[in-house]
Amino acid sequence: GRKFKEETPPLKKLEGSEWAQVHIDREVIPTAGDTRDTNGTLEAKSMGDQIMQRVSETGILVDHECQVQHGILCHDHQWGVFVAGHRSQFAPWYLVKIMAEAEGREMPPIKEPRPIFFERERNQDICDAILRVGPEFWGTLKDETKIPERLEPDDGRCTGCGYRRSCQGDALLE
């Protein structure tokens, strides 16, 4: 298996860029016998049933690929790993692990989650696309007149969003 640095890296900004910055989850360390000799980017997601099933069947989703590539770009890495885990397995296990560490106890014998790992090489085409569209997107965040309108509550992108209730609020009651 892969080894990861224990500490979470600080915010990393791409040199010479106002907008290209990232918090990756961890850095991946090459293991003995690895063909790589430099660290990589790790991004991890805890997912629900539908997304986890889709990832299991079809592989890494395009938005997750872009997230890994953005981390690779900002950290100037040549590779990365995306880890997908089901939240019903990961969250309770992680909580027990944190509590055991905080209390100085051994981790109790509970079943560890079985995440799916996707190793990714730097994709320069995606990195170049991020560099091309990033400044325009950043400009929309800095100028309130350019911020897009909220999606309609029945839009499919809205119905699956984790921010649905806080974003739509009373509109969901109508």
Side-chain angles (χ1 to χ4, degrees), residues 136-150:
E136 180 182 348
F137 174 72
W138 186 252
T140 65
L141 299 177
K142 291 173 61 178
D143 181 351
E144 288 184 17
T145 65
K146 293 182 179 179
I147 295 174
E149 290 296 317
R150 183 177 302 159

Side-chain angles (χ1 to χ4, degrees), residues 9-152:
L11 175 72
K12 177 75 172 179
K13 293 185 176 188
L14 182 65
E15 191 172 325
S17 173
E18 172 192 16
W19 59 270
Q21 51 192 317
V22 68
H23 281 284
I24 61 173
D25 293 323
R26 295 283 188 278
E27 278 190 289
V28 189
I29 303 168
T31 54
D34 202 329
T35 58
R36 299 175 175 100
D37 58 0
T38 59
N39 290 348
T41 293
L42 171 76
E43 289 293 348
K45 292 283 180 250
S46 179
M47 303 174 174
D49 292 334
Q50 291 176 336
I51 299 296
M52 191 66 190
Q53 182 69 33
R54 196 160 105 202
V55 167
S56 298
E57 292 172 357
T58 64
I60 189 170
L61 303 179
V62 72
D63 48 336
H64 297 143
E65 176 73 43
C66 290
Q67 183 178 5
V68 172
Q69 294 298 327
H70 184 247
I72 288 171
L73 172 68
C74 290
H75 280 266
D76 197 24
H77 289 153
Q78 296 305 308
W79 65 289
V81 177
F82 178 75
V83 182
H86 194 283
R87 68 175 154 233
S88 69
Q89 294 176 340
F90 183 73
W93 176 84
Y94 188 69
L95 182 60
V96 170
K97 180 179 185 286
I98 295 283
M99 290 173 64
E101 288 174 358
E103 296 173 358
R105 294 184 294 118
E106 290 286 319
M107 178 75 169
I110 62 174
K111 186 177 176 182
E112 286 192 33
R114 297 196 183 277
I116 303 171
F117 292 82
F118 298 93
E119 295 213 3
R120 315 308 293 168
E121 298 299 322
R122 183 185 185 108
N123 182 320
Q124 197 58 49
D125 290 339
I126 295 175
C127 291
D128 289 345
I130 291 168
L131 291 170
R132 196 171 47 254
V133 301
E136 180 182 348
F137 174 72
W138 186 252
T140 65
L141 299 177
K142 291 173 61 178
D143 181 351
E144 288 184 17
T145 65
K146 293 182 179 179
I147 295 174
E149 290 296 317
R150 183 177 302 159
L151 295 172
E152 292 297 321

